[in-house]
Amino acid sequence: MKYSVEFHLISTDIAPNGGIRPGALLRYFQEAINLQMHDNPPSTEDLFDNGLAFILSRTTMKIYIPFKVYDKINVVTWANTSKGATFIRSAQIFVNDELAADIITAWALVDFKNHRLVRVKDAVLGIGTLDELPDIPLPEKIKFPEDCEMTLVGEKHIVYGDIDRNNHMNNTRYVDMICDFLPDIENKAVKSFTINYLTESKLGEVLDIYHTSDGEKDYFYAAKKDGTHSVDVELKLEEIK
């Protein structure tokens, strides 16, 4: 029930400071999911053709070691035993058999034809589940520090290159978007992050980006012009030595 696939990191996966773009790791993770479902139908494309799509609601990733360009990575992913309308999925990324990153995600299966969520017990999928979870916490609702003021630091226009077949900004784009607004990012690497995906961002929309820090972690939210949060983000950074 675990699915393993190898990829080679490419030059554009590496940021100017030499660190891995965290969105790149999410893209390999998502591709591993798609490949597992392709090999064990219904695939994500089959679901889409029938008016169904998995929509990511929360992500947590922890990165343990530096990644280098052209590293061969092994992404191991599996679906977790779940209940209600929340589908939990995990992954671990290895470099030369060394654990490099852990990921836990929570998804909703949306029936667009009938405008409803599909519950776990009613989903017809070709993959099994495991109870095993990586040794990191499940992604939870982000709580912003009460004594730190959120400051507007810029805005993001949603363009064609950001959106996917669901016609909204792809979930893997958000963390790299946030990194664009991190102070002194050229001297830092992302060691862990949690993202709450709250409302979809569509082509042509403009998001206002707000930031604060409590000295240990950085916090962001991206808001639409009506104030609705698109994503809330919590990151932990490390100085590049």
Side-chain angles (χ1 to χ4, degrees):
M1 287 177 280
K2 287 188 175 184
Y3 186 87
S4 176
V5 59
E6 290 185 348
F7 301 98
H8 275 92
L9 298 185
I10 59 176
S11 57
T12 52
D13 294 331
I14 307 300
N17 63 13
I20 187 73
R21 298 184 193 275
L25 296 180
L26 287 180
R27 285 187 280 278
Y28 290 116
F29 165 55
Q30 184 165 292
E31 194 62 21
I33 296 172
N34 292 340
L35 287 168
Q36 182 183 24
M37 295 186 67
H38 178 270
D39 291 346
N40 300 273
S43 67
T44 53
E45 292 297 310
D46 295 333
L47 293 176
F48 187 84
D49 290 342
N50 285 282
L52 301 169
F54 277 105
I55 303 297
L56 189 56
S57 60
R58 293 181 184 178
T59 294
T60 290
M61 177 185 286
K62 189 169 184 180
I63 300 170
Y64 303 113
I65 66 173
F67 290 82
K68 302 185 297 296
V69 65
Y70 306 128
D71 271 345
K72 183 169 68 174
I73 65 171
N74 184 25
V75 181
V76 180
T77 184
W78 64 98
N80 294 99
T81 304
S82 303
K83 61 182 179 180
T86 300
F87 296 75
I88 304 298
R89 176 177 275 275
S90 300
Q92 295 182 310
I93 300 177
F94 296 86
V95 176
N96 297 324
D97 297 324
E98 182 178 3
L99 180 61
D102 281 325
I103 309 170
I104 303 178
T105 53
W107 302 75
L109 182 57
V110 179
D111 181 343
F112 291 104
K113 290 182 178 179
N114 297 303
H115 305 286
R116 66 180 182 89
L117 297 179
V118 179
R119 297 180 65 82
V120 171
K121 65 181 180 63
D122 298 323
V124 179
L125 302 172
I127 54 176
T129 61
L130 294 172
D131 292 335
E132 177 185 349
L133 288 165
D135 191 22
I136 59 173
L138 286 165
E140 297 182 347
K141 182 179 179 180
I142 292 171
K143 297 180 180 179
F144 295 107
E146 295 180 357
D147 56 346
C148 297
E149 182 179 356
M150 303 294 292
T151 302
L152 178 66
V153 293
E155 62 180 21
K156 162 66 178 176
H157 292 253
I158 308 304
V159 297
Y160 181 77
D162 294 320
I163 61 173
D164 56 24
R165 286 198 69 192
N166 294 322
N167 280 320
H168 59 218
M169 187 168 176
N170 185 265
N171 67 78
T172 67
R173 298 277 183 178
Y174 285 97
V175 66
D176 288 342
M177 172 190 75
I178 292 300
C179 286
D180 290 340
F181 297 94
L182 273 167
D184 196 31
I185 185 58
E186 63 271 17
N187 297 311
K188 297 177 181 177
V190 176
K191 298 302 295 180
S192 66
F193 63 87
T194 295
I195 304 176
N196 295 171
Y197 302 88
L198 302 170
T199 58
E200 61 185 9
S201 301
K202 296 182 178 181
L203 180 66
E205 289 187 323
V206 180
L207 302 178
D208 290 325
I209 311 299
Y210 289 82
H211 168 252
T212 194
S213 174
D214 63 4
E216 180 181 355
K217 295 179 180 179
D218 284 84
Y219 298 85
F220 287 85
Y221 70 82
K224 300 185 180 187
K225 292 304 181 181
D226 65 0
T228 302
H229 285 210
S230 176
V231 290
D232 294 344
V233 183
E234 173 190 294
L235 305 99
K236 189 169 186 179
L237 306 173
E238 180 180 83
E239 294 286 340
I240 295 177
K241 300 176 182 179

